[in-house]
Amino acid sequence: MNKLKITTIAISTFFLFSCNDKAKNEITEVNQTIETEVHNHSADEAIQLDGDKKWKVDVEMMNHIRNMEKDVASFDKGTPENYQLLADNLKKNLDLLTSNCTMKGQAHDELHKWLLPYLDLVDDFSKDKSDEQFTEIQNSFTTFNQYFE
C-alpha cells in the first residue's frame, strides 16, 4: 500500500507538471488513471518506435536519464553503502526529470510507457536494494536505449 501511495504521488506530480494536456484534469481523475496504468501493463502499452526510428527525448530530460544511466553503469556492488547512495541518486534524478518535462505528443506518451515501470523499479530498489532489483534497472536502460535517443 505504501508503494502505491509513493508511486501515485510521484506520478501525480509528474502529470501535474508535464506538458500532457490530460494533466490538467482533476487530481482524482489523474490518480484513477495512474492506478490503472501502474497495475495494467497490457500489450497495447508496449513501447513503439517512431516508424523505424527512435523517439527523440528533449535534451534537458535526456540529461537526467543519462545521469541515472551513468550512476547505474558505474555502480560498485562491493560496498553496502553504495546501494543507498544509488537509490538516492536515482530518486533525485527522477524528481528532476519529472519536474522538467518539456515533451509533447506521441514521443511524450511513449516515454511514459518506459517511465512508469521504471518508477516502480527505482521504488522497489530503494526498499530492497538487491542485486536482482539492480539488474532489472540495468535492463530497463537497455529497453530505453532501444526506443529513445
Side-chain angles (χ1 to χ4, degrees), residues 59-125:
V59 174
E60 186 173 337
M61 295 177 69
M62 186 61 95
N63 288 337
H64 302 300
I65 294 169
R66 292 300 181 217
N67 285 339
M68 289 184 285
E69 187 175 29
K70 287 175 193 172
D71 287 342
V72 168
S74 64
F75 180 63
D76 176 14
K77 294 180 184 180
T79 308
E81 296 82 27
N82 287 347
Y83 284 83
Q84 185 61 51
L85 181 61
L86 177 61
D88 292 345
N89 285 343
L90 293 176
K91 283 187 169 197
K92 179 182 80 173
N93 277 290
L94 273 173
D95 288 344
L96 291 168
L97 173 69
T98 58
S99 65
N100 290 297
C101 176
T102 55
M103 293 179 63
K104 295 182 181 181
Q106 191 170 354
H108 179 263
D109 296 340
E110 295 301 319
L111 182 61
H112 276 233
K113 292 177 185 179
W114 172 80
L115 184 60
L116 291 174
Y118 180 76
L119 285 166
D120 286 340
L121 290 174
V122 171
D123 185 53
D124 291 345
F125 180 75

Side-chain angles (χ1 to χ4, degrees), residues 7-147:
T7 302
T8 301
I9 291 169
I11 295 172
S12 294
T13 302
F14 180 81
F15 281 121
L16 288 173
F17 291 103
S18 73
C19 40
N20 188 345
D21 290 336
K22 293 178 185 176
K24 296 177 183 173
N25 293 337
E26 295 179 9
I27 298 293
T28 305
E29 189 175 320
V30 171
N31 286 339
Q32 290 171 347
T33 301
I34 291 166
E35 289 176 19
T36 301
E37 289 180 27
V38 168
H39 295 290
N40 296 320
H41 298 290
S42 69
D44 294 340
E45 294 181 28
I47 304 170
Q48 303 294 315
L49 286 171
D50 183 12
D52 61 345
K53 301 181 295 187
K54 295 179 182 183
W55 294 101
K56 300 231 184 267
V57 176
D58 290 346
V59 174
E60 186 173 337
M61 295 177 69
M62 186 61 95
N63 288 337
H64 302 300
I65 294 169
R66 292 300 181 217
N67 285 339
M68 289 184 285
E69 187 175 29
K70 287 175 193 172
D71 287 342
V72 168
S74 64
F75 180 63
D76 176 14
K77 294 180 184 180
T79 308
E81 296 82 27
N82 287 347
Y83 284 83
Q84 185 61 51
L85 181 61
L86 177 61
D88 292 345
N89 285 343
L90 293 176
K91 283 187 169 197
K92 179 182 80 173
N93 277 290
L94 273 173
D95 288 344
L96 291 168
L97 173 69
T98 58
S99 65
N100 290 297
C101 176
T102 55
M103 293 179 63
K104 295 182 181 181
Q106 191 170 354
H108 179 263
D109 296 340
E110 295 301 319
L111 182 61
H112 276 233
K113 292 177 185 179
W114 172 80
L115 184 60
L116 291 174
Y118 180 76
L119 285 166
D120 286 340
L121 290 174
V122 171
D123 185 53
D124 291 345
F125 180 75
S126 69
K127 293 174 187 170
D128 187 17
K129 296 175 192 68
S130 70
D131 289 339
E132 180 181 293
Q133 295 293 335
F134 176 73
T135 299
E136 289 186 39
I137 289 172
Q138 286 177 308
N139 292 340
S140 180
F141 281 107
T142 300
T143 300
F144 175 85
N145 288 311
Q146 289 175 335
Y147 295 96

